[in-house]
Amino acid sequence: MSGKSHPFYDLRQHGMVRVATSTPKVRTADIDYNVEGIVAEARRAHDAGVDLVVYPELCVSSYAIDDLHLQHALLDAVEKGVSYVVTASAELAPVLLIGAPLRHNGRIYNCALVVAKGALLGVIPKSFLPNYREYYEKRWFAHGREIVGKTIMVAGSEVPFGTDLIFAAENLPNFKLFVEICEDYWAPTPPSTMGALAGATVIANLSASNITIGKSDERHLLARAQSSRAVCAYVYSASGHGESTTDLAWDGQGMTYELGDLMAESERFSLDAELSIVDVDCERILSERQRMQTFNDAAEAAGRPEDWFRTVEFALADHENPRGLIRPIRRFPFVPGRQHKLDEDCYEAFNIQVDGLMRRLEATKAKSMVIGISGGLDSTHALIVAAKCCDRLDLPRSMIRGYTMPGFGTSDHTKSNAWKLIEAVGITAEEIDIRPAANRMLEDMDHPFADGEPVHDVTFENVQAGLRTDYLFRLAGHHSGFVIGTGDLSELALGWCTYGVGDQMSHYAVNSGVPKTLIQYLIRWAVGTEQFDHATDEVLLSILDTEISPELVPADAGGAIQSTESIIGPYELNDFFLQHTIRWGQRPSKIAFLAWHAWKDAASGQWPAGFPDAKKNEYDLATIAEWLEKFIKRFFAFSQFKRSAIPNGPKVSAGGALSPRGDWRAPSDAVADAWLKDLKEGLPPSV
C-alpha cells in the first residue's frame, strides 16, 4: 500500500471508534418531522465518517408530550417512524441510537433503540424513571430494571430487549457498547456501572434533561465521574430546541468523556442541528482496565456480569476514504492542559516537589542542602524548589550551599547565569574548578586528552560528571547536609545521565518525577505568578532561552556548543513518547500515529497557555519515526539499570514516574526487539 491508504492512517487500526452526539431538529409530537431530522443528521454523520451517533431520549416522539404518550395514534406513528429510520440506515455507515416510547405486554417503556445497516439490533428500556419536581414519568412508563433475557416486537421485527445487552463490533474488538437513558446516570447505582463491568468500553446516554441554572455543570460532573470510575468513554446527548416549552426549556447539550477527560462538547442553545464528533480510544480504555486490578475485583464482586449479559454482534461499516483523526491530542502530555485550572495545576506540581523536599529535610535534620548549579534548566528548577522549601520551613536560604563547577565545556553564558541566579536567590555559594582534578584523572588513566589530543569520548565526559558528583557528596558530608539531585524524568527515561558516581546519584532526587517539558513550563509559571523577585525572574527567563547542553565537550571552532537534543532528540517528542509508553503501554506504531497528528502542523491544535510562538515546532512522520526508534532503544534496552538504582524522589504527574519503588518496574536485561518490530511493521514503507 502507498500514501494514505496504508493501515497506519486508519484510526481503527489503533483501536479507535468515531462517535458523535446529535441534537436533531424536532417538533413536539411531529413524528414525520422528527424522523426526517434524525435521518438528516445520520446522513451528515455518514459524510463525516462517524461510526456511532447518539441522539436524545424519545427523539422520535419528542419527550415533553405528557399524556400524548398514552395515545395509540402516536404510538402507532412511532413504530412507523422507527421503521423509516431503520430502512434509511441501510445506506448509511453509522450505528444510530434513537429514543422512542414502545409498547410491550400492556406497558409502555421509554426505550433506546440500536439501529445499524438496515436492521434493529436491540432495544434497551429505561431503568430509573424520575417522578419528582418537574418529572412525572411513572404516569406513562414502566421501568425496565428487571427486564433481562427478553425480546420485543417492533414494527414487525422481534429483537433482543433488556438492560443486559452489550453491542459488540466484530471488526473492532475493543468497541463494546452499553446504553442507558437520562435519569439512569443520576441514580446512585447507574446501570452503566454493570455494563462496564460486563465489558462495555463505550457508554451512551440518550437524555431529555431540561436545563436549569447550573445543571450543565452537574451533567459534566456525572459524565466525568462515571467515565473515570467505570473506566470507559461516556457519550451523553440531551434534547435541544424544538421540545415543548410549556413549562421547561432545553439546551441540547452533547458531550463525550473518556477516562475522566472531556473530549468534545456541542454548542448549547443552538437553533441548528448539532453534531459533536470525536474519536474515542477503546484500546486506551482497555489498557487502563488491565492496569487497574480494582476494576477486575469489582467485576468479580458483582458476580461476573460478563457471564450473563447478552452480546449482540454487528459489523461496523467500512469507510472508503481516510478519515484522519478528530481527537484532542496534547503535544505536551505532562504539562497541565486545563486552562481554567492552569495556575492550580502548576501550583500543585511545584509544591509536590517542595513538600517532598521539606519532609526529607525534616527527617534528616540536615544543616545544609548541597546542590550543583550549572546555569541549566534542571539545576535551576531544583534550586528554586529548595529556596521555596526554606521559605516554607522558615529557614534561611543561606543553608542551601550551591557550587558552580566549571569543566572543559562550560560556557561563559551558563556560568554567568549560574552566578546571577545564586546571587538573586540568596544562597551560600562557592566555585570549584574541576579541570585540574579531571586532568589528573585523565592522566592517571592514560587518556589521549591528557596528551593534548582532542578526544572527547564518553570517558572524557564521565570523568567530569563523576568528579562533580564526588565533590558534592564530600561537601555534603563536610557541611552536615545532603545532595539534592537535579536530573529529571526525561533524562532517566533516556539514560542521559552518568551512573553511580555521576548525576544519576544523589541523596534526594527532587526532579526525578518531572520531565524536561514540565520543568520548562513550571519555570515560566514561577515567573508569571511572581513566585520570586524581579531579579530572579530575569535570570530564569535567560536560562529558559539557553540551548540545552551537558557542556562536557568544548565548543567547536565555530563556537557551537554540545547540543543534547541533537544527540537524543527533541525533549518535546521524547516526553510525548514517554507518557504514552509508561502511562498507557501503547505500541510504538500507535505512538507514532498520535505524535504525527499532534505535531505535524504547528498552526493547528492547542498549545499550552503562554507558550512562546518562536518555540512552536512541527515534525513530519519520518522525523518522528527516527527519534521514536532511538527512544525505544534507549528506554527498553539501554537505561533501565540506571533507573533500578535511582535515589528517592517524589512522583509528580499521573503520567508516571520511573522509580522501581513506585510507578515503574522493569528488568535491566530486556531487549527492545518487540517494540522495534512493531514500529517497523506498523509504519508506511515510505517512512
Side-chain angles (χ1 to χ4, degrees), residues 326-373:
I326 303 175
R327 179 179 174 85
I329 304 176
R330 290 165 59 189
R331 291 179 171 92
F332 299 91
F334 287 101
V335 173
R338 302 184 300 171
Q339 293 297 112
H340 65 296
K341 293 276 190 178
L342 196 59
D343 182 68
E344 180 181 325
D345 288 347
C346 289
Y347 168 85
E348 201 166 54
F350 188 73
N351 280 282
I352 288 170
Q353 292 181 268
V354 172
D355 189 77
L357 186 56
M358 286 167 56
R359 183 69 191 100
R360 181 52 54 93
L361 189 58
E362 290 174 330
T364 59
K365 298 180 173 57
K367 296 180 180 178
S368 68
M369 290 184 283
V370 174
I371 182 170
I373 309 296

Side-chain angles (χ1 to χ4, degrees), residues 15-308:
M16 298 189 191
V17 61
R18 181 160 295 176
V19 305
T21 61
S22 174
T23 312
K25 288 190 173 183
V26 297
R27 283 203 301 241
T28 309
D30 190 338
I31 312 303
D32 291 343
Y33 183 89
N34 294 348
V35 295
E36 287 293 350
I38 289 167
V39 172
E41 286 301 281
R43 292 192 179 109
R44 198 151 68 101
H46 172 89
D47 293 340
V50 172
D51 296 309
L52 170 70
V53 186
V54 182
Y55 292 91
E57 178 182 11
L58 296 175
C59 56
V60 173
S61 61
S62 303
Y63 175 82
I65 59 175
D66 299 334
D67 286 355
L68 300 187
H69 284 302
L70 300 172
Q71 293 290 311
H72 286 288
L74 181 128
L75 294 170
D76 289 345
V78 163
E79 291 211 30
K80 291 178 182 177
V82 168
S83 181
Y84 176 81
V85 173
V86 171
T87 300
S89 73
E91 304 300 321
L92 302 172
V95 176
L96 310 178
L97 298 189
I98 61 175
L102 296 178
R103 292 164 289 191
H104 180 68
N105 287 347
R107 304 176 184 90
I108 303 173
Y109 292 92
N110 181 341
C111 296
L113 296 80
V114 183
V115 177
K117 298 301 292 179
L120 178 58
L121 300 181
V123 175
I124 303 93
K126 189 171 183 177
S127 291
F128 295 98
L129 303 175
N131 221 61
Y132 54 90
R133 297 201 302 270
E134 62 263 49
Y135 303 109
Y136 207 6
E137 287 192 34
K138 290 182 180 180
R139 180 180 176 92
W140 314 298
F141 302 122
H143 75 78
R145 290 192 297 276
E146 307 303 323
I147 297 179
V148 295
K150 304 295 185 183
T151 60
I152 187 173
M153 290 293 297
V154 183
S157 297
E158 186 175 15
V159 298
F161 180 46
T163 57
D164 58 338
L165 298 177
I166 297 283
F167 299 86
E170 59 190 31
N171 53 345
L172 183 57
N174 297 332
F175 175 41
K176 294 186 177 182
L177 173 70
F178 180 83
V179 184
E180 63 185 6
I181 303 172
C182 200
E183 184 75 8
D184 288 349
Y185 97 139
W186 264 275
T189 54
S192 56
T193 299
M194 196 65 77
L197 294 176
T201 50
V202 177
I203 308 297
N205 187 314
L206 294 76
S207 175
S209 169
N210 62 296
I211 188 62
T212 55
I213 296 172
K215 196 170 186 181
S216 171
D217 291 340
E218 186 180 0
R219 295 172 186 153
H220 275 291
L221 172 68
L222 292 170
R224 182 184 181 195
Q226 189 65 347
S227 72
S228 182
R229 182 181 294 110
V231 193
C232 65
Y234 201 96
V235 188
Y236 176 91
S237 182
S239 299
H241 186 78
E243 281 287 355
S244 173
T245 60
T246 302
D247 291 300
L248 303 172
W250 317 87
D251 64 332
Q253 183 170 21
M255 56 188 171
T256 299
Y257 275 86
E258 180 183 303
L259 301 180
D261 296 328
L262 178 61
M263 308 303 291
E265 185 175 13
S266 67
E267 179 186 346
R268 296 168 59 214
F269 298 107
S270 174
L271 297 182
D272 298 320
E274 280 286 304
L275 199 64
S276 176
I277 303 171
V278 72
D279 295 328
V280 164
D281 192 342
C282 298
E283 189 175 73
R284 176 177 178 246
I285 291 164
L286 289 180
S287 176
E288 183 72 344
R289 290 181 181 178
Q290 290 168 185
R291 282 169 173 72
M292 187 179 174
Q293 292 304 316
T294 303
F295 186 90
N296 180 64
D297 289 346
E300 296 285 345
R304 291 181 56 86
E306 64 189 88
D307 293 343
W308 52 269

Side-chain angles (χ1 to χ4, degrees), residues 430-489:
E430 295 180 41
E431 182 172 301
I432 298 175
D433 189 340
I434 67 166
R435 286 171 292 188
N439 269 320
R440 176 58 188 270
M441 183 176 285
L442 291 166
E443 286 174 9
D444 292 345
M445 296 171 62
D446 197 24
H447 190 276
F449 182 82
D451 293 328
E453 297 182 38
V455 177
H456 306 138
D457 56 9
V458 172
T459 301
F460 173 80
E461 295 186 16
N462 285 353
V463 161
Q464 298 172 78
L467 278 170
R468 285 171 173 150
T469 302
D470 201 356
Y471 271 117
L472 291 174
F473 270 91
R474 301 325 131 215
L475 288 162
H478 184 52
H479 294 286
S480 302
F482 62 86
V483 178
I484 298 176
T486 61
D488 63 50
L489 184 69

